[in-house]
Amino acid sequence: MALLPVLCYPDPRLHKVAKPVAQVDARIKKIVADMAETMYDAPGVGLAATQVDIHERILVIDVSENQDALMVFINPELVWASTEKKSWREGCLSVPEYYDEVDRPDVIHVKALDQNGKEFEIEADGLLSVCLQHEMDHLRGKVFVEYLSILKRNRISLKMKKRAKELASQR
């Protein structure tokens, strides 16, 4: 397993649309293991392959309190979403140190493959619902800050660019 570098907003690679995984094989299983290690190390509760510059439809999520219940979603599809919305304070490993409120459907139903290529379906609410929607957005090339006002987005973009320059100058 290996830690993967996480892309930071406004990196244009975060806007690439991920392609479906054709076959769950040893390569995909290694990507899943590396993504899980990266997510836990960050620490985070979810990570999309897009965030680590792999443009395939793969997500890892663990919203458990002890971070011991890894969930893998390969080629996830939103089957159904409730009309009732709920607002959650979201953060993102690609937008470090920034959190804001985002309205999303409260309950969703998702179909996907697990890390062994077996199809499953899940109905999610609460944090799992939010996390799934957030990570599935990444696979479509969308970052959560795009739900915010243009003013907030521009401010975040400038802060992230400044942060990147500071980190680069420290190396």
Side-chain angles (χ1 to χ4, degrees), residues 6-12 14 51 93-96 160 163-164 167:
V6 177
L7 300 175
C8 282
Y9 182 81
D11 191 309
L14 287 169
Q51 293 176 272
L93 296 178
S94 292
V95 191
M160 293 295 114
R163 183 178 185 269
L167 289 173

Side-chain angles (χ1 to χ4, degrees), residues 96-154:
E97 302 169 15
Y98 188 81
Y99 301 86
D100 211 322
E101 297 288 322
V102 177
D103 286 339
R104 296 191 184 270
D106 189 29
V107 181
I108 61 170
H109 191 94
V110 173
K111 178 171 70 172
L113 301 176
D114 67 15
Q115 65 231 27
N116 297 311
K118 184 176 180 227
E119 188 174 291
F120 71 98
E121 294 189 28
I122 186 169
E123 187 168 291
D125 62 1
L127 181 57
L128 179 57
S129 172
V130 171
C131 193
L132 269 166
Q133 291 174 77
H134 176 110
E135 301 307 337
M136 287 172 68
D137 275 351
H138 278 299
L139 300 179
R140 290 192 302 275
K142 188 170 185 175
V143 181
F144 92 100
V145 296
E146 292 169 40
Y147 288 100
L148 309 176
S149 71
I150 291 172
L151 180 66
K152 281 185 178 180
R153 254 185 305 197
N154 288 340

Side-chain angles (χ1 to χ4, degrees), residues 53-106:
D53 205 19
I54 297 170
H55 303 283
E56 296 182 75
R57 296 185 55 77
I58 306 168
L59 308 175
V60 293
I61 292 174
D62 188 342
V63 295
S64 67
E65 205 167 295
N66 297 325
Q67 294 244 286
D68 59 359
L70 181 68
M71 301 176 80
V72 176
F73 296 82
I74 298 170
N75 296 336
E77 292 177 44
L78 183 65
V79 176
W80 174 85
S82 66
T83 54
E84 184 181 328
K85 304 249 183 195
K86 195 160 190 179
S87 182
W88 283 79
R89 188 165 172 82
E90 293 187 29
C92 182
L93 296 178
S94 292
V95 191
E97 302 169 15
Y98 188 81
Y99 301 86
D100 211 322
E101 297 288 322
V102 177
D103 286 339
R104 296 191 184 270
D106 189 29

